[in-house]
Amino acid sequence: MSDKKTEKPAWILKERIFSEDHMFTRLMGYAIEENLSETYQALYYARDKHEGQARMTSPFTQEHIPYIIHPLMMACHAHAMGIKNDKVLATVLLHDVCEDCGVKPEELPFSDEIRHSVAILTKPEGYSGTKEEKDRYYDDIATDGVASIVKALDRCNNVSLMALAFSKEKMIDYVEETQDYVYPLLEHIKRGDLEYNDAVFLIKYQLRSTVETIKAFILKDNA
């Protein structure tokens, strides 16, 4: 048998999977065709508030990833799975605005339901990720059907792509939080919101398969 080392593949790492302009236009078309008035407004509002912000990227790429790609991809993902609820899609687009852009939930120019869901999804100032804080945070999310499905979509998108940018230690913490809090949240959504059953199945498949792949690579690296 040859003991020659396997050469590393000359791959180019692509973190920009879809164009933000294409996703924006796609969602705009849906919003107009399906009379999703708050989604229509949220598209412009989120793009304006996240202007100039960027996603974390891998050290193996020099790509600039505008932050707006994250909520746009989540909204496209949700709509493609059949989630066409105006409040859900608008909350998806706005879910990071308060936490990252200095906007208070009560200042959002949207319906009370959307402001409430975004407020629940926004981590409080000084949040450090202790078990007690996570317990409170996820317990609050579980009280709101919109916030619950948005959090599941958020984690699915982040686990799929942020693994490129996270350190090994951060990824381990993220995987453990996903198993301890997001998997139970998915079961809660499935029991409480029958309309999201198909979406939960697809999210669970993508989330679990990605997490198990990440765990396998981490275990191999530590072997």
Side-chain angles (χ1 to χ4, degrees):
M1 292 180 61
S2 172
D3 60 356
K4 182 181 178 181
K5 290 186 177 180
T6 303
E7 293 184 5
K8 291 183 179 179
W11 290 334
I12 298 174
L13 185 60
K14 290 287 186 181
E15 297 187 55
R16 196 193 211 107
I17 295 177
F18 298 110
S19 158
E20 63 272 23
D21 293 335
H22 176 73
M23 289 190 290
F24 188 94
T25 302
R26 179 189 181 101
L27 290 165
M28 182 60 64
Y30 292 144
I32 293 170
E33 291 171 13
E34 299 166 18
N35 196 29
L36 306 173
S37 58
E38 296 210 90
T39 299
Y40 183 97
Q41 182 185 352
L43 280 164
Y44 286 99
Y45 189 86
R47 187 172 67 175
D48 176 65
K49 293 300 178 183
H50 287 300
E51 179 69 30
Q53 296 180 342
R55 289 278 273 173
M56 290 174 58
T57 56
S58 164
F60 303 108
T61 179
Q62 298 299 315
E63 277 190 289
H64 171 75
I65 311 294
Y67 196 87
I68 192 63
I69 280 180
H70 170 56
L72 288 175
M73 194 178 298
M74 284 174 57
C76 286
H77 186 192
H79 194 277
M81 289 191 296
I83 299 175
K84 301 180 181 182
N85 182 297
D86 195 18
K87 289 180 173 52
V88 172
L89 294 174
T91 301
V92 164
L93 292 164
L94 299 168
H95 77 280
D96 278 336
V97 164
C98 294
E99 197 168 306
D100 295 344
C101 306
V103 179
K104 295 180 180 178
E106 61 269 23
E107 296 173 344
L108 292 170
F110 294 90
S111 65
D112 289 341
E113 295 95 327
I114 288 175
R115 284 196 292 266
H116 178 71
S117 296
V118 174
I120 288 174
L121 290 162
T122 302
K123 293 185 176 72
E125 190 173 345
Y127 181 92
S128 60
T130 65
K131 184 181 184 307
E132 292 75 16
E133 288 173 323
K134 288 179 182 177
D135 287 347
R136 269 196 310 273
Y137 178 64
Y138 281 96
D139 284 347
D140 286 345
I141 288 174
T143 66
D144 185 280
V146 171
S148 295
I149 194 67
V150 172
K151 188 62 184 180
L153 288 161
D154 181 45
R155 183 52 58 105
C156 190
N157 185 259
N158 280 337
V159 165
S160 299
L161 293 171
M162 292 304 286
L164 300 170
F166 286 167
S167 67
K168 184 195 294 186
E169 291 73 21
K170 172 66 174 175
M171 200 65 244
I172 290 170
D173 288 343
Y174 213 64
V175 164
E176 291 179 348
E177 181 178 324
T178 300
Q179 295 181 140
D180 292 343
Y181 294 96
V182 182
Y183 288 174
L185 183 62
L186 286 169
E187 295 303 316
H188 175 79
I189 297 168
K190 188 171 69 173
R191 291 193 302 270
D193 294 283
L194 295 179
E195 65 179 307
Y196 296 139
N197 261 0
D198 288 342
V200 166
F201 177 85
L202 292 170
I203 292 170
K204 187 186 294 185
Y205 168 74
Q206 184 176 343
L207 196 54
R208 284 185 176 271
S209 58
T210 304
V211 164
E212 293 306 309
T213 300
I214 291 169
K215 286 162 62 176
F217 275 101
I218 290 173
L219 290 171
K220 285 181 181 179
D221 190 53
N222 288 341

